[in-house]
Amino acid sequence: MLLSVHPRFATAILAGTKTVEVRRQRVAAPPGTPVLLYATAPTMAIVGMARIASVQVATPREVWSASRTSAGITRREYDEYMSGAAQASGLSLEEPITFEDPVPLAALRASGSFHPPQSYRYLTGDDLRRVARAAPRTGAGLQGALGGLVPA
């Protein structure tokens, strides 16, 4: 999975101080799913990864109640983000890994058509190969971290 997050949230996730990422829509990903973290502007790069420990899909109020101390945002920010949403997902993240060499958007686009998602998207084998080609040093580490899921 590729998850777009603001740079401050990417930093907090990778530091382990933000362990829940909230989304306005249902996220259907099993525990153990690898998540590449794409930091939005001004960073515009894949900066690291984590794994999904669990996903809670519920009302925004229930997700906030369960994740307020781990989401790394204020109640006001959360309420503004969730305004009008009927359901929410709280992705509990574990095992954060910071990439020594972030994979910049320009490099991702140079290796093929690449568009970071507005929120998140599931990745194909082609997507993972593109990331590995865009930054060979990170790609090798990525392959190890994903347990060989990056096809050759």
Side-chain angles (χ1 to χ4, degrees), residues 36-91:
L36 293 177
L37 300 170
Y38 176 81
T40 59
T43 305
M44 299 180 359
I46 297 176
V47 295
M49 64 177 289
R51 289 193 184 275
I52 293 178
S54 64
V55 177
Q56 177 192 20
V57 179
T59 66
R61 174 176 279 162
E62 291 167 324
V63 169
W64 174 256
S65 180
S67 64
R68 67 177 168 256
T69 60
S70 310
I73 59 174
T74 66
R75 177 64 191 254
R76 182 178 178 173
E77 289 172 310
Y78 182 85
D79 288 345
E80 287 175 11
Y81 176 64
M82 289 293 171
S83 179
Q87 68 177 357
S89 293
L91 286 72

Side-chain angles (χ1 to χ4, degrees), residues 113-145:
S113 175
F114 181 86
H115 303 285
Q118 187 71 23
S119 179
Y120 73 94
R121 72 178 169 95
Y122 299 103
L123 296 171
T124 66
D126 284 342
D127 293 326
L128 292 171
R129 279 190 291 277
R130 191 171 301 120
V131 171
R133 277 195 312 268
R137 189 168 152 187
T138 298
L142 179 63
Q143 185 162 357

Side-chain angles (χ1 to χ4, degrees), residues 5-19 21 37-40 43 47-48 96-98:
V5 294
H6 290 285
R8 78 171 207 194
F9 299 136
T11 299
I13 290 168
L14 295 171
T17 58
K18 176 178 170 58
T19 58
E21 176 63 19
L37 300 170
Y38 176 81
T40 59
T43 305
V47 295
I97 298 170
T98 302

